[in-house]
Amino acid sequence: MNGLIYMDYAATTPLDPRVKEAMEPFLSDAFGNPNSIHFYGRQARKAVDESREMIAHILGCRPGEMIFTSGGTESDNLALRGVAGARKHRGRHIVSSTIEHHAVLHTLEALREEGFEVTLVPVDEDGLVDPEQVADAVREDTILVSIMHANNEIGTIQPIAEIAKLVKEKKTDVLVHTDAVQTVGHLPVRVDQLNVDLLSLSAHKFYGPKGVGALYVRQGTRLVPQLTGGGQEKNRRSGTENVAGIVGMAHALRLSTQEMEQENRRLAALRDRLIDGILGQVPDSRLNGHRTQRLAHNANFSFLGVEGEALLLQLDLHGICASSGSACTSGSLDPSHVLLALGLSREWAIGSLRLTLGRSNDDQQVDQVVKIVPQIVQRLRELTPEAVRLGFS
Ligand code: PLP
């Protein structure tokens, strides 16, 4: 990658060239609208249907249970708003967690304004949600529980199957949604094993194209559509299907799933080298997130007395592409809501660095980062008192 070190794979991944090749016909000759009756339409419909079958097979559901969307944000919105709209006569209470992605948290805020009540379950210092606490939060009027599968900032993986089991034992008709945007293509996600009713995914997190995703919805689950129009996706999401994107998503998922075991072993070794190297060399540093219950490619650190944004700019000057938390919140100096939810003080939370690994990374790159990060942290720490003295805090 042109001398740059890309360690921001949780923000997005490059398109797998094999996926690009599979998509190309649908960006040129096979341009039909899958809703047309003629040859071109049938050709596009076949590609969409086959992709749906491929994705459903991998995720352990029926093809008719997949709704194609424009990505993780839309899938989360459709899940929350769609269920809230369809079930408001039964109750208006939703349970979620304090560390969800903003696609969930901001949607819940909007639902609150529409009269829904939301309980956000806290997490422990490793970012783990306690399944018992989730079940305890379920009330007579609870209609939906939404807990993410793995966190995008700290990589902690939640016990979703256990959460779903306890929630349904407490109240059988509560629906369980999981935002699996960070796990599909990275962990062997199967909706039948997780026992969830709704699950969000997004292709650009597993070497597929941007702007396409899906929502699994268990058969028989009513949803109020959020996009109305031509009635595509069985009236649940109108709009002409993103044929090339859908084909790309299916191929990307198939390839990531096939290569997952081997790649995760490789990435976990790189991640641990990164963690041990950085923690071993930087005083007043910590790893955020669970040490073992975490995504194989995620390392999230905090350095006391350093601003994450300054660290990112310095890393960028050294050709290292990283993130301070979620990509969506960079540009603001507000500490991450996820790190605050772990109980970190503001001082620790603002000094965060997320390094997320992927296919282009190797031992040499990790060693390079392990060499540079401590130097930059030290330099920034030396500069900070001076900056404060000069009024540039
Ligand atoms: N949910 C999680 C956990 C994410 O990490 C992201 C993307 O960063 C999203 C939702 C939003 O997905 P998309 O970028 O496809 O809209």
Side-chain angles (χ1 to χ4, degrees), residues 71-73 76 101 148 152 179 181-182 202 204-205:
T73 302
D76 285 343
H101 189 272
M148 70 199 316
N152 46 301
D179 174 342
V181 167
Q182 289 290 336
S202 179
H204 74 103
K205 306 292 186 180

Side-chain angles (χ1 to χ4, degrees), residues 367-388:
D367 291 348
Q368 176 80 352
V369 172
V370 165
K371 193 172 125 210
I372 289 173
V373 168
Q375 292 170 2
I376 295 177
V377 170
Q378 194 189 343
R379 202 165 330 127
L380 288 173
R381 279 177 175 161
E382 285 163 8
L383 281 175
T384 306
E386 181 68 1
V388 170

Side-chain angles (χ1 to χ4, degrees), residues 61-74:
C61 63
R62 299 183 184 92
E65 294 175 314
M66 299 302 309
I67 303 177
F68 291 131
T69 67
S70 63
T73 302
E74 189 190 330

